[in-house]
Amino acid sequence: MTDVLPTRVLAPAKVNLGLFLGPARTQDGRHELVTVMQSISLADELTLERAPAGVEHDEVVCPGVPGENLAARALAAFRAATGWDAPPLRLQIVKRIPVAAGLGGGSADAAGALRLARHASGLGDDALLRELGAALGADVPAQIAPGRWLAGGAGELLEALPDPNPSSFGLLVLPAAGGLSTAVVYAEADRLGLGRSTETLEQRRSALRRALELSAAVPAARELLENDLAPAAISLCPEIADVRSQARDAGAEIALVSGSGPTVLGLFPHANGLGRAERAAAGLQDRVPVPICATPVDAAFARVTSA
């Protein structure tokens, strides 16, 4: 079905509305966690097309991001799982999500690549793509069908949650000049002893489910928005604490670290949230990197289209 090419998809970033860390699993070393993953309108743009003549293998073109790309691994995994033997393909990625920022940009690209491959081949379903995504990274399964997900396990156990009203929920995204390695942040969290018991994780999962079952923008109980990785990220990058203060001073009702950091989020979860986030960004216009405003998005935002 490669006659449908070229095709295009948006790969939205995710933010974590609460992230609770459990013990490392003996079978694979990954940490158990409970978190709400929310897709937002900050997104990379992916285009899948036939590779130029003479190219013998699939290739990923992503200017400004050196080294192996997770999207390349996603394409290879899809071919291996489905037996898809289409001629070599080129995947072009326009990066807008900051790299190593706790926003799941690489995972978003991998999930987007899997959606494009399924569309071009006519093979596979969401269950297969999530299975492949789970082998690629904890953030990938929830980004196969962007929206709002309650995630457990190491990201592979998913429950869909009702989408919030995007018109009443704005986000101020404050990227850092540099990135943080997710693996290093988790190692620091272990060193600091930040993990919770399995029983506590289950309690937080139930509390998050109840808090968001009626499409609330965020949980009313602020302790459900805690990020257990934040102390580790701040230990490695102390300026994060100052950026959180910047977000609050700019008017954010809630300021938190996104995922493994170092990005800080300012949440505006009530009426005209996006407008208030935009005004906050205007007050930080001299900041470098520049602030980014975003809103929640659902799976329709990331639907594959003709390029």
Side-chain angles (χ1 to χ4, degrees):
M1 292 182 62
T2 52
D3 55 343
V4 304
L5 298 177
T7 52
R8 169 186 173 273
V9 76
L10 292 174
K14 64 83 196 171
V15 297
N16 297 85
L17 303 177
L19 193 161
F20 303 103
L21 184 67
R25 305 192 299 200
T26 56
Q27 67 267 35
D28 57 14
R30 292 184 175 186
H31 286 76
E32 294 279 342
L33 55 82
V34 166
T35 184
V36 173
M37 295 191 191
Q38 173 68 63
S39 302
I40 63 173
S41 55
L42 171 62
D44 293 342
E45 183 177 331
L46 281 63
T47 302
L48 187 68
E49 59 193 2
R50 295 177 184 84
V55 174
E56 297 181 355
H57 304 284
D58 292 342
E59 62 178 13
V60 174
V61 180
C62 186
V65 182
E68 184 188 27
N69 194 293
L70 198 61
R73 291 174 53 195
L75 278 179
F78 183 88
R79 284 189 182 270
T82 62
W84 188 36
D85 60 354
L89 301 168
R90 171 179 285 175
L91 179 65
Q92 299 201 60
I93 302 176
V94 178
K95 285 298 294 181
R96 300 190 180 100
I97 304 171
V99 177
L103 294 166
S107 297
D109 294 344
L114 291 171
R115 292 198 299 278
L116 286 167
R118 176 180 58 189
H119 183 83
S121 67
L123 302 171
D125 56 15
D126 274 6
L128 173 65
L129 299 195
R130 289 195 184 102
E131 180 183 342
L132 297 176
L136 295 169
D139 290 341
V140 182
Q143 290 172 282
I144 295 298
R148 174 174 280 192
W149 294 93
L150 177 58
E156 77 279 4
L157 302 179
L158 297 174
E159 297 178 45
L161 294 173
D163 292 311
N165 181 351
S167 65
S168 62
F169 188 2
L171 297 99
L172 177 68
V173 181
L174 299 178
L180 278 177
S181 161
T182 300
V184 171
V185 174
Y186 271 89
E188 181 69 359
D190 286 341
R191 188 186 71 82
L192 295 174
L194 300 178
R196 300 172 186 255
S197 68
T198 301
E199 180 182 10
T200 301
L201 286 189
E202 192 54 44
Q203 292 170 353
R204 290 299 167 105
R205 183 206 300 270
S206 298
L208 283 167
R209 185 188 299 116
R210 291 193 301 269
L212 298 175
E213 63 186 357
L214 298 178
S215 301
V218 297
R222 293 295 172 89
E223 65 266 21
L224 294 180
L225 285 168
E226 292 175 7
N227 179 351
D228 287 347
L229 292 177
I234 292 170
S235 173
L236 297 166
C237 182
E239 54 265 37
I240 291 173
D242 295 332
V243 180
R244 283 199 305 194
S245 297
Q246 278 186 357
R248 294 190 191 98
D249 292 345
E253 297 172 48
I254 302 160
L256 47 84
V257 179
S258 181
S260 57
T263 300
V264 168
L265 304 173
L267 304 186
F268 298 79
H270 297 108
N272 192 30
L274 179 59
R276 290 186 292 121
E278 289 172 340
R279 288 193 292 274
L284 296 170
Q285 60 184 334
D286 295 331
R287 184 182 187 275
V288 179
V290 297
I292 301 165
C293 293
T295 56
V297 298
D298 58 19
F301 177 86
R303 186 175 294 129
V304 176
T305 61
S306 177

